[in-house]
């Protein structure tokens, strides 16, 4: 049991616990990235609207009118981030597979 819970201190190879953690992280990253990139159920659009509304409220609280025109409040930027996140998740899954096959 102790052997399976060792994270990275062994010389026999990469720990199975770390492989599982990286695989779960890769799967979550791919799932969230695809949801953001393809705007599943309007997630990206709603999030961009919340960011824009929050920025307008912050600007109005400081006495500036008209709101901010921020790149980060656009659905296109969030879709781009989703595509990057999905790609990073795929790279992580390939790395986990490579480590698994080397063990």
């Amino acid at each position: 049991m102790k052997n399976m819970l060792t994270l990275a201190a062994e010389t026999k190879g990469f720990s199975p616990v770390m492989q599982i953690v990286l695989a779960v992280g890769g799967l979550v990253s791919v799932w969230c990235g695809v949801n953001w990139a393809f705007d599943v159920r309007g997630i990206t659009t709603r999030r961009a609207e919340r960011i824009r509304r929050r920025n307008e409220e912050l600007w109005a609280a400081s006495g500036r009118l008209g709101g901010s025109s921020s790149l980060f409040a656009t659905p296109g930027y969030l879709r781009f981030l989703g595509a990057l996140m999905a790609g990073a998740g795929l790279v992580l899954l390939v790395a986990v597979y490579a480590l698994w096959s080397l063990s």
Side-chain angles (χ1 to χ4, degrees):
M1 183 69 176
K2 179 184 177 285
N3 197 12
M4 293 227 9
L5 296 178
T6 305
L7 293 178
E10 279 196 32
T11 58
K12 292 181 185 177
F14 208 69
S15 169
V17 174
M18 286 303 290
Q19 288 179 353
I20 291 170
V21 168
L22 291 176
V24 168
L27 288 173
V28 168
S29 180
V30 167
W31 181 74
C32 289
V34 167
N35 280 335
W36 279 23
F38 292 110
D39 200 13
V40 176
R41 296 186 317 229
I43 291 172
T44 307
T45 308
R46 286 192 315 259
R47 182 166 175 79
E49 181 61 28
R50 278 195 310 263
I51 292 170
R52 189 191 60 74
R53 197 174 320 122
R54 186 184 69 220
N55 286 345
E56 282 182 358
E57 289 172 1
L58 288 173
W59 277 55
S62 65
R64 296 178 284 189
L65 298 177
S68 68
S69 58
S70 175
L71 169 70
F72 307 114
T74 61
Y77 177 74
L78 293 176
R79 289 177 136 200
F80 173 71
L81 283 181
L84 286 179
M85 190 184 312
L90 288 175
V91 167
L92 194 58
L93 289 174
V94 167
V96 167
Y97 177 75
L99 288 171
W100 177 69
S101 65
L102 289 175
S103 297

